[in-house]
Amino acid sequence: MSNSRIQMMGCSIDNLTMAETVQTIEGFIASGKPHQHVVVNVDKLVKAQNDPELRQIINECALINADGMPVVWASRLLGKPLKERVAGVDLFEALMAGAAEKGWRVYLLGAKEEIVSRVRDIYSHKYPKLVFAGYRNGYWKPEEEAGVVEQITAAKADLLFVAISSPKKEQFLGAYQSQMKIPFAMGVGGTFDVAAGKVKRAPVWMQKTGLEWFYRFLQEPRRMYRRYFIEDMAFFGLLLKEWRQRG
């Protein structure tokens, strides 16, 4: 798989389709050894420029997918085209279905209590054979963190989905994944909010045309304005710089 990795703006990205990604994860789970997954989008690539710890955690992950059409388009412009976008929310859905079919134990970590419990209830109804190793909200004090890690470790899950913000989720998994020994751990950001129906997913045409971020902005303009219209604008400068350095 290492031969299929590309480099963009200092971060590695695996050039895999959704089907290839799921197949890779099946291998991770079969191995029983801990693996960390991450998705990179425009926001994460920008954050990684000024956060060496985040960049290192990303690049040390066993599996790195591109979540965001602008990242796929940028890869094509730079002459190292990614096969497709592998959106975190779509991968989550595929893995939940796979877990129900194959008997993998799932642990949900993150979001507010009412959201994470609702996600568990929804997927228990959707996939009656799905086994939940446990779930917990994403709010704890620093002194409680060791207990959270112990709780997750004791659950002996095959899959861990972490729905807390970046870079906190990457840092949490980077620090504790080897201790928790979960075969596949994945940060899923706001996926629980989508799964619980709190946030609506953009129409398919907006997903395919790279406008999913704008749909998200329309739902939470006050919260998302700074991220999309100020912080993430640095992406275009980074892309231009890398384009000029090609060859």
Side-chain angles (χ1 to χ4, degrees), residues 51-72:
D51 188 339
E53 180 192 10
L54 175 61
R55 186 166 64 248
Q56 181 178 348
I57 291 170
I58 291 171
N59 290 334
E60 289 179 352
C61 282
L63 184 59
I64 308 164
N65 287 126
D67 183 349
M69 284 308 300
V71 177
V72 176

Side-chain angles (χ1 to χ4, degrees), residues 42 68-73 85 202-216 228 236:
V42 166
M69 284 308 300
V71 177
V72 176
W73 292 332
R85 172 195 186 197
V204 174
W205 72 266
M206 293 188 85
Q207 296 175 36
K208 291 183 176 180
T209 54
L211 289 172
E212 191 162 11
W213 67 272
F214 187 64
Y215 190 84
R216 178 77 187 277
Y228 290 140
F236 297 102

Side-chain angles (χ1 to χ4, degrees), residues 25-35 157-158 180-184:
I25 294 166
E26 288 177 356
F28 290 165
I29 295 171
S31 78
K33 297 177 181 177
H35 299 82
D158 298 300
M180 295 186 294
K181 294 183 171 62
I182 296 171
F184 183 73

Side-chain angles (χ1 to χ4, degrees), residues 92 96 108 110-126 132 135 192-199:
F92 171 76
M96 292 293 269
L108 305 177
K112 294 180 179 179
E113 183 68 26
E114 61 267 27
I115 295 295
V116 66
S117 60
R118 178 163 169 74
V119 173
R120 188 203 61 166
D121 292 345
I122 288 170
Y123 280 87
S124 292
H125 179 74
K126 188 173 184 178
F132 283 97
Y135 74 96
F192 289 2
D193 287 339
V194 175
K198 180 185 176 185
V199 174

